[in-house]
Amino acid sequence: MLSNQETLNLSPYAALYDLVVPKDNMLRQINELVDFSFIYDELKTKYCLDNGRKAISPIRMFKYLLLKTIHDLSDNDLVERSKYDLSFKYFLNMAPEEDVIDSSSLTHFRRQRLQDVKLLDLLIGKTVEIALEKGIIKSKTLIVDATHTKARYNQKSPIEFLREKSKNVRKAVYQLDASMKPKFPEKNTSNEVNEELDYCHQLISTLETEPQITALPAVKEKLNVLKESVEDFKEHMNPSNDPDARIGHKTKDSSFFGYKTHLAMSDERIITAAVITTGEKSDGNYLEPLIEKSKESGMTIDTVIGDTAYSEKDNITYTKTNHIALVSKLHPVVSQGTRKKAFEFNKDAGMFVCPAGHMAFKKKYDGRQGTKKVNPRVRYMFDVTKCQVCSMREGCYQEGSKTKSYYVTIKSTEHKEQKAFQNTEQFKSLAKTRYKIEAKNSELKNRHGYDTASSAGLFGMEIQGATTIFAVNLKRILKILNEKR
């Protein structure tokens, strides 16, 4: 049962917050900046309002997820810190003496309450609304790009994954007390997953008999990660299996296994829209959704800045129709005319990628000089040995064929206006500001753990993306407001 109003904090110890949580504390500033009632309004239909046991406020549960993102903590470590960190309790609208939740409640909240909720658009829209109200966003420029996130289980075997986590635990213990080494169980040397799992259980059991060691944060955090990994293995049976993750390519020679987050950001470095997809998707296909989402959030747009991935024919037509200047350099093979886009073009590698995520290994220019009134084309050749065993070969690969090629016609004549624009001083000046979104991608990854997915599946990635972008936008807004004071 969900209460229809927030409870007031009437604790006799509430005055402690004024003593230990200063006015410039980030969590206090976020509480003062954001009215979180929009979370209650969005999620109240997920609860029963008049029957059952009283539920924990969805606002408080969401704030737990936000704290997890800001401080990059596991569920167990987040709840543990909430017991003694008064800045956390203040942010969660709890009395100093109030008990915290069980960490398993966060899992239930993510799975049961956030399903079918457009959390990404909701949270980004709220931060853009605040930025507009505070007069922070004044420009009409969007900078677009995509950043990749590796799957949590990045193509590692189950044994490799479990061994890595157990090794981290042992290393943390040895740094504090080397005498623990003889007490640990003998390492598993076989390649049997079940034996490695038994070893992890024995290691956990051994450490749990040493409370003076496990109470230390350096050990406790690593131990909690190992426990979560073991539990994930029991549930999914294969910790290296992420059913939604796909192979994507950053360059011709490097690839990743995971997801892409397509971002739009204002010139003031506030993220105004995002779309999360699997790793093989092309950047250019998501320009229009990013612009439309930014408009829905309240942005007025007259300029869009991006790399060569966004100079496709459809994007040039769309931006011209909507009176938007597209600052994106042309690539000679980006436009495919009206042909169905079954294959995605990877601008970093300069190659096409098939729907299964395999990249062409070679390309060849075909001038077709003997044919009149026919534009030249480029032939992209794929590894036929991969096509022969591909699960998606039906309708793509003809059985028995010795080659697999994909042809793209070059239609440079359709880009004359864009080519003329990119030679202007205005284009060159605007293009220099694209570095801002690269810096934002770095912030997401290096400060908030967005380099690696925190859970398996596209749904989990969307939750992670929503909370991370929300936190990053709030921090940016607070920084600008503090600079004005």
Side-chain angles (χ1 to χ4, degrees), residues 167-310:
K167 179 181 178 180
N168 291 341
V169 172
R170 292 195 305 271
K171 185 177 180 180
V173 173
Y174 294 157
Q175 289 176 344
L176 298 170
D177 187 358
S179 65
M180 282 292 296
K181 190 171 184 177
K183 298 181 181 180
F184 284 160
E186 185 177 351
K187 295 180 185 178
N188 172 44
T189 57
S190 73
N191 290 322
E192 292 294 328
V193 178
N194 289 332
E195 291 185 17
E196 186 65 31
L197 193 62
D198 290 339
Y199 169 76
C200 292
H201 282 300
Q202 294 173 27
L203 180 62
I204 293 170
S205 299
T206 301
L207 283 172
E208 287 178 340
T209 62
E210 304 287 341
Q212 73 281 6
I213 297 293
T214 55
L216 299 172
V219 176
K220 190 171 186 178
E221 291 179 5
K222 298 292 189 296
L223 183 61
N224 286 337
V225 171
L226 177 61
K227 288 180 178 178
E228 287 186 4
S229 300
V230 171
E231 289 301 315
D232 284 346
F233 181 87
K234 290 179 180 178
E235 181 175 346
H236 299 293
M237 295 307 294
N238 187 349
S240 63
N241 180 27
D242 189 332
D244 294 332
R246 294 290 184 272
I247 297 172
H249 298 269
K250 286 300 293 177
T251 66
K252 182 177 179 179
D253 300 318
S254 64
S255 62
F256 68 94
F257 181 68
Y259 302 91
K260 271 188 178 181
T261 302
H262 306 267
L263 298 171
M265 185 184 77
S266 72
D267 200 45
E268 294 81 11
R269 307 194 190 200
I270 302 294
I271 296 174
T272 59
V275 178
I276 296 176
T277 66
T278 50
E280 86 286 2
K281 298 299 184 182
S282 171
D283 300 2
N285 292 346
Y286 294 90
L287 179 65
E288 182 176 343
L290 290 174
I291 293 175
E292 293 300 324
K293 285 177 180 287
S294 297
K295 287 181 177 178
E296 290 173 6
S297 298
M299 279 282 292
T300 302
I301 304 162
D302 62 12
T303 304
V304 176
I305 303 170
D307 57 26
T308 56
Y310 298 95

Side-chain angles (χ1 to χ4, degrees), residues 135-165:
I136 293 174
I137 297 180
K138 298 178 180 178
S139 70
K140 298 180 181 180
T141 299
L142 279 188
I143 308 173
V144 294
D145 196 18
T147 186
H148 71 277
T149 302
K150 294 179 290 187
R152 183 180 184 183
Y153 312 119
N154 194 21
Q155 295 179 305
K156 290 182 179 178
S157 69
I159 284 186
E160 289 174 332
F161 184 78
L162 291 172
R163 280 180 179 167
E164 178 187 348
K165 303 307 177 187

Side-chain angles (χ1 to χ4, degrees), residues 13 17 55 113 129 149 207 246 269 297 342 359 362 365 402 412 423 426 436:
Y13 306 105
Y17 290 137
R113 311 304 184 191
E129 177 187 327
T149 302
L207 283 172
R246 294 290 184 272
R269 307 194 190 200
S297 298
M359 179 176 285
K362 185 178 180 181
Y365 178 81
K402 296 182 179 180
S412 57
N423 291 326
Q426 178 190 6
K436 294 180 180 180

Side-chain angles (χ1 to χ4, degrees), residues 4 32 35 48 96 113 135 251 274 281 297 325 374:
N4 58 5
E32 294 172 353
D35 178 6
C48 179
R113 311 304 184 191
T251 66
K281 298 299 184 182
S297 298
V374 177

Side-chain angles (χ1 to χ4, degrees), residues 189-462:
T189 57
S190 73
N191 290 322
E192 292 294 328
V193 178
N194 289 332
E195 291 185 17
E196 186 65 31
L197 193 62
D198 290 339
Y199 169 76
C200 292
H201 282 300
Q202 294 173 27
L203 180 62
I204 293 170
S205 299
T206 301
L207 283 172
E208 287 178 340
T209 62
E210 304 287 341
Q212 73 281 6
I213 297 293
T214 55
L216 299 172
V219 176
K220 190 171 186 178
E221 291 179 5
K222 298 292 189 296
L223 183 61
N224 286 337
V225 171
L226 177 61
K227 288 180 178 178
E228 287 186 4
S229 300
V230 171
E231 289 301 315
D232 284 346
F233 181 87
K234 290 179 180 178
E235 181 175 346
H236 299 293
M237 295 307 294
N238 187 349
S240 63
N241 180 27
D242 189 332
D244 294 332
R246 294 290 184 272
I247 297 172
H249 298 269
K250 286 300 293 177
T251 66
K252 182 177 179 179
D253 300 318
S254 64
S255 62
F256 68 94
F257 181 68
Y259 302 91
K260 271 188 178 181
T261 302
H262 306 267
L263 298 171
M265 185 184 77
S266 72
D267 200 45
E268 294 81 11
R269 307 194 190 200
I270 302 294
I271 296 174
T272 59
V275 178
I276 296 176
T277 66
T278 50
E280 86 286 2
K281 298 299 184 182
S282 171
D283 300 2
N285 292 346
Y286 294 90
L287 179 65
E288 182 176 343
L290 290 174
I291 293 175
E292 293 300 324
K293 285 177 180 287
S294 297
K295 287 181 177 178
E296 290 173 6
S297 298
M299 279 282 292
T300 302
I301 304 162
D302 62 12
T303 304
V304 176
I305 303 170
D307 57 26
T308 56
Y310 298 95
S311 61
E312 296 182 357
K313 175 187 172 184
D314 291 345
N315 289 339
I316 294 173
T317 303
Y318 167 77
T319 51
K320 183 178 179 180
T321 302
N322 289 273
H323 308 289
I324 298 172
L326 178 61
V327 183
S328 174
K329 288 186 178 180
L330 290 172
H331 193 289
V333 293
V334 167
S335 178
Q336 301 178 57
T338 58
R339 184 172 181 175
K340 185 179 179 181
K341 297 181 181 179
F343 286 53
E344 304 278 2
F345 180 72
N346 186 286
K347 51 91 181 177
D348 297 302
M351 292 287 188
F352 272 85
V353 180
C354 76
H358 301 300
M359 179 176 285
F361 70 93
K362 185 178 180 181
K363 63 181 178 181
K364 183 178 180 181
Y365 178 81
D366 182 5
R368 299 197 284 185
Q369 296 178 356
T371 307
K372 295 182 179 180
K373 297 183 180 181
V374 177
N375 287 335
R377 63 182 182 179
V378 178
R379 177 188 179 190
Y380 291 84
M381 288 163 273
F382 290 81
D383 187 350
V384 72
T385 59
K386 294 180 181 178
C387 298
Q388 291 170 347
V389 297
C390 180
S391 60
M392 303 176 69
R393 64 182 181 275
E394 185 176 353
C396 179
Y397 169 73
Q398 187 175 355
E399 295 294 339
S401 296
K402 296 182 179 180
T403 60
K404 172 59 185 176
S405 300
Y406 185 76
Y407 292 90
V408 176
T409 302
I410 299 175
K411 299 180 180 178
S412 57
T413 55
E414 299 178 4
H415 297 84
K416 288 182 178 179
E417 290 183 3
Q418 185 69 11
K419 186 175 181 179
F421 176 48
Q422 74 182 33
N423 291 326
T424 64
E425 289 301 319
Q426 178 190 6
F427 183 101
K428 295 175 183 178
S429 176
L430 290 170
K432 291 179 180 179
T433 63
R434 205 186 74 81
Y435 76 92
K436 294 180 180 180
I437 200 164
E438 298 288 356
K440 183 64 67 174
N441 291 340
S442 177
E443 179 185 355
L444 289 168
K445 291 182 177 183
N446 297 324
R447 297 186 185 179
H448 296 279
Y450 207 62
D451 183 54
T452 304
S454 60
S455 59
L458 190 58
F459 172 67
M461 188 67 227
E462 288 175 348

